[in-house]
Amino acid sequence: MKNIYLLGATGSIGRQTLEIVDKYPSEFKVVTLSARTRMEDLIQLIEKYNPKFCSVQFKKDADHLTDRFPDIVFGYGKTSLIHAATFQPKDRDGVLINALVGIAGLQPTVEAIKIKRNVLLANKETLVVGGSLVMELAKENQVEIFPIDSEHSAIWQCMQNGKKEEVSKVIITASGGAFRNKSFEELKNVTKADALKHPNWTMGEKITIDSATMMNKGFEVMEAIHLFGLLPTQIETVIHPESIIHSMVEYIDHSIIAQISSHDMRLPIQYAMFYPNRKESIVESIDFAKLSSLHFETMKEEKYPCFRLAMEAIQSGHSMPCVLNAANEAAVDLFLKEKIEFLEISNIIETEMKKHQVISNPSLEDLLRIDLEVKENIYHNH
Ligand code: NDP
Ligand code: MG
């Protein structure tokens, strides 16, 4: 039985992770859980999984939960997320499943790596902001970082068909998000409700907006560089509206291996949880007789300024992806609060990136400071 330390339990990935636990109850024990605001949901999870420790954001929630569940320990705030990630530090077989959203996921990942705990990583902001630092630390501590994302899981699976040095390129697919069929002009008038209607996936609000702006694809290119040690020039992106091919790997002989499955996150989650084994899953099998066709379109950078900015942040490297991410988190938050228009998201990010003086090889402290400064500046101006 494998112990699970689960951050972001009340979210889209967190809940789907627990569905896998439900399917295989004798394989996993949920030891810690975290939630931020959805306390009723957390209470249900506590009753079902009986964890040893839970992290919440606010002291009043921790106090209330302590009264209700005296046998369970509750913590609050940032340090409690780290505590949940590193709980029972001698347990090397347990895994951290990081399904937080935003930079909140970075420090718990770093601390889990330091106690030599393998990390199943959905929280993409961890690698976007601290990719080099995190991957180096993982190498030093001989810790594995297993991706939980359909694209990176696909690349990971396809990579097992040849040697690393035989890979010529990776092709990451993109559904095109909510606005695939809209022109750049039409994007001026889109609303929050429009942006939240993703054609293929039901996900948390932040990543759904990141998919509409295509920032999500930019993030995924960054993650692939770090996870698989690729050069930026080895990565291509293509729009594939059906989201059936989740990504492809081309080898030097021009043979391309694709990973194909229904668009259902429970497959990449389960793959990471059971790796190197495969298990029966609740995910539907694909019926090729019902699939009339698959489509591919080139990604137009002029339509997706956020994607272009992500590529620029890769070129600059060092502290620039942190600025990109911080500005994106703040801008998406303002858009979700209906304080700015959709197209202002990329303008805000571009302004912050232009102002930034790149710091070489930033430390964790540098990254957290830059994150705060960029966000404070944006909130101050809006
Ligand atoms: P959700 O918004 O659905 O869930 C986020 C979880 O994190 C919730 O449990 C939430 O708590 C908690 N949380 C949010 N902010 C904070 C914070 N500042 N501090 C502590 N806890 C916090 O997100 P998703 O599950 O959709 O996404 C999680 C991560 O996985 C993201 O990085 C996303 O990009 C990535 N991802 C998601 C996919 C998907 O299909 N959803 C696919 C691939 C990657 P509460 O709800 O209680 O407030
Ligand atoms: Mg993805």
Side-chain angles (χ1 to χ4, degrees), residues 53-65:
F53 177 82
C54 290
S55 155
V56 294
Q57 183 157 28
F58 301 110
K59 182 174 185 303
K60 68 170 173 38
D61 290 324
D63 289 345
H64 169 75
L65 289 164

Side-chain angles (χ1 to χ4, degrees), residues 154-170:
I155 297 167
W156 183 18
Q157 293 177 58
C158 296
M159 287 259 189
Q160 290 164 43
N161 287 275
K163 299 192 190 97
K164 167 85 201 304
E165 59 275 19
E166 293 166 350
V167 170
S168 59
K169 69 178 178 193
V170 159

